[in-house]
Amino acid sequence: AEAIRVQSEQNLKSTTERLLNARGSFKVTTEPAGASISIGDRAPRTAPVTWSDLRLGRYDVTISLAGYDSEQHTVEIKENEVTDLGTIKLKRQVGS
Protein backbone atom coordinates (compact mmCIF):
# COMPACT_ATOMS: atom_id res chain seq x y z
CA ALA A 1 0.00 0.00 0.00
CA GLU A 2 2.87 2.38 0.82
CA ALA A 3 4.51 1.71 -2.57
CA ILE A 4 1.24 2.54 -4.34
CA ARG A 5 0.88 5.77 -2.35
CA VAL A 6 4.48 6.81 -3.15
CA GLN A 7 4.00 5.99 -6.85
CA SER A 8 0.76 7.98 -6.89
CA GLU A 9 2.48 11.00 -5.32
CA GLN A 10 5.34 10.76 -7.84
CA ASN A 11 2.85 10.58 -10.73
CA LEU A 12 0.99 13.62 -9.38
CA LYS A 13 4.24 15.58 -9.00
CA SER A 14 5.34 14.61 -12.51
CA THR A 15 1.98 15.65 -13.99
CA THR A 16 2.01 18.95 -12.08
CA GLU A 17 5.54 19.78 -13.27
CA ARG A 18 4.63 18.87 -16.86
CA LEU A 19 1.55 21.11 -16.81
CA LEU A 20 3.45 24.02 -15.24
CA ASN A 21 5.95 23.83 -18.09
CA ALA A 22 3.43 23.00 -20.83
CA ARG A 23 2.80 25.54 -23.55
CA GLY A 24 0.36 26.18 -26.38
CA SER A 25 -0.14 28.69 -29.17
CA PHE A 26 -2.76 31.18 -30.32
CA LYS A 27 -3.42 32.67 -33.74
CA VAL A 28 -5.89 35.06 -35.29
CA THR A 29 -6.45 36.87 -38.56
CA THR A 30 -8.62 39.93 -39.04
CA GLU A 31 -10.53 41.36 -41.96
CA PRO A 32 -9.35 43.96 -42.70
CA ALA A 33 -5.81 43.00 -41.73
CA GLY A 34 -3.74 45.21 -39.46
CA ALA A 35 -5.82 45.18 -36.29
CA SER A 36 -4.09 45.42 -32.94
CA ILE A 37 -4.35 42.14 -31.00
CA SER A 38 -3.73 41.93 -27.25
CA ILE A 39 -3.75 38.66 -25.34
CA GLY A 40 -3.60 38.72 -21.56
CA ASP A 41 -0.97 41.19 -20.37
CA ARG A 42 1.33 40.76 -23.38
CA ALA A 43 2.21 43.69 -25.62
CA PRO A 44 -0.14 44.11 -28.60
CA ARG A 45 0.80 42.76 -32.01
CA THR A 46 -0.59 43.39 -35.48
CA ALA A 47 -2.86 40.83 -37.17
CA PRO A 48 -2.41 38.36 -38.69
CA VAL A 49 -0.50 37.07 -35.66
CA THR A 50 0.57 33.85 -33.95
CA TRP A 51 1.74 33.73 -30.35
CA SER A 52 3.74 30.70 -29.31
CA ASP A 53 4.97 29.57 -25.90
CA LEU A 54 1.84 30.64 -23.98
CA ARG A 55 1.16 29.03 -20.60
CA LEU A 56 -1.97 26.93 -20.43
CA GLY A 57 -5.18 28.63 -19.32
CA ARG A 58 -7.77 31.20 -20.31
CA TYR A 59 -6.83 34.57 -21.73
CA ASP A 60 -8.80 37.69 -22.61
CA VAL A 61 -8.17 38.83 -26.17
CA THR A 62 -8.84 42.38 -27.39
CA ILE A 63 -9.02 43.16 -31.11
CA SER A 64 -9.08 46.80 -32.20
CA LEU A 65 -8.59 48.84 -35.35
CA ALA A 66 -9.25 52.55 -35.89
CA GLY A 67 -12.66 53.09 -37.50
CA TYR A 68 -13.95 49.66 -36.40
CA ASP A 69 -15.73 48.35 -33.31
CA SER A 70 -13.37 46.67 -30.83
CA GLU A 71 -14.01 43.03 -30.00
CA GLN A 72 -13.39 41.01 -26.85
CA HIS A 73 -12.89 37.25 -26.85
CA THR A 74 -11.77 34.66 -24.34
CA VAL A 75 -9.52 31.84 -25.53
CA GLU A 76 -8.32 28.73 -23.77
CA ILE A 77 -4.74 27.69 -24.44
CA LYS A 78 -4.28 23.93 -24.34
CA GLU A 79 -1.14 21.84 -24.19
CA ASN A 80 0.64 21.41 -27.54
CA GLU A 81 -2.31 22.89 -29.47
CA VAL A 82 -2.87 26.00 -31.56
CA THR A 83 -6.01 27.87 -30.51
CA ASP A 84 -7.19 29.48 -33.76
CA LEU A 85 -9.87 32.17 -33.71
CA GLY A 86 -9.91 32.07 -37.50
CA THR A 87 -10.66 35.28 -39.36
CA ILE A 88 -12.46 37.92 -37.31
CA LYS A 89 -14.49 40.22 -39.59
CA LEU A 90 -14.45 43.62 -37.94
CA LYS A 91 -17.54 45.81 -38.07
CA ARG A 92 -17.04 49.36 -39.30
CA GLN A 93 -18.10 52.04 -36.84
CA VAL A 94 -21.00 54.20 -37.93
CA GLY A 95 -21.84 57.70 -36.85
CA SER A 96 -22.40 61.21 -38.01
Side-chain angles (χ1 to χ4, degrees):
E2 179 64 19
I4 292 172
R5 185 188 65 76
V6 169
Q7 182 63 40
S8 179
E9 286 178 3
Q10 288 173 345
N11 288 345
L12 179 60
K13 183 178 178 183
S14 174
T15 299
T16 301
E17 287 175 2
R18 180 182 56 81
L19 290 176
L20 285 173
N21 293 315
R23 298 291 188 267
S25 300
F26 164 75
K27 75 181 213 176
V28 65
T29 303
T30 60
E31 189 177 300
S36 174
I37 312 293
S38 299
I39 183 167
D41 59 359
R42 294 178 177 248
R45 294 188 187 173
T46 303
V49 66
T50 299
W51 264 283
S52 299
D53 201 36
L54 293 170
R55 289 185 180 264
L56 307 185
R58 292 183 180 267
Y59 291 84
D60 292 325
V61 176
T62 303
I63 302 169
S64 59
L65 181 64
Y68 292 83
D69 292 334
S70 294
E71 293 203 18
Q72 299 285 328
H73 296 268
T74 299
V75 296
E76 184 171 358
I77 304 302
K78 297 181 181 178
E79 184 176 12
N80 298 322
E81 291 185 18
V82 176
T83 302
D84 187 353
L85 280 184
T87 300
I88 304 295
K89 295 184 180 190
L90 300 174
K91 297 176 185 86
R92 188 172 280 285
Q93 292 176 341
V94 292
S96 57

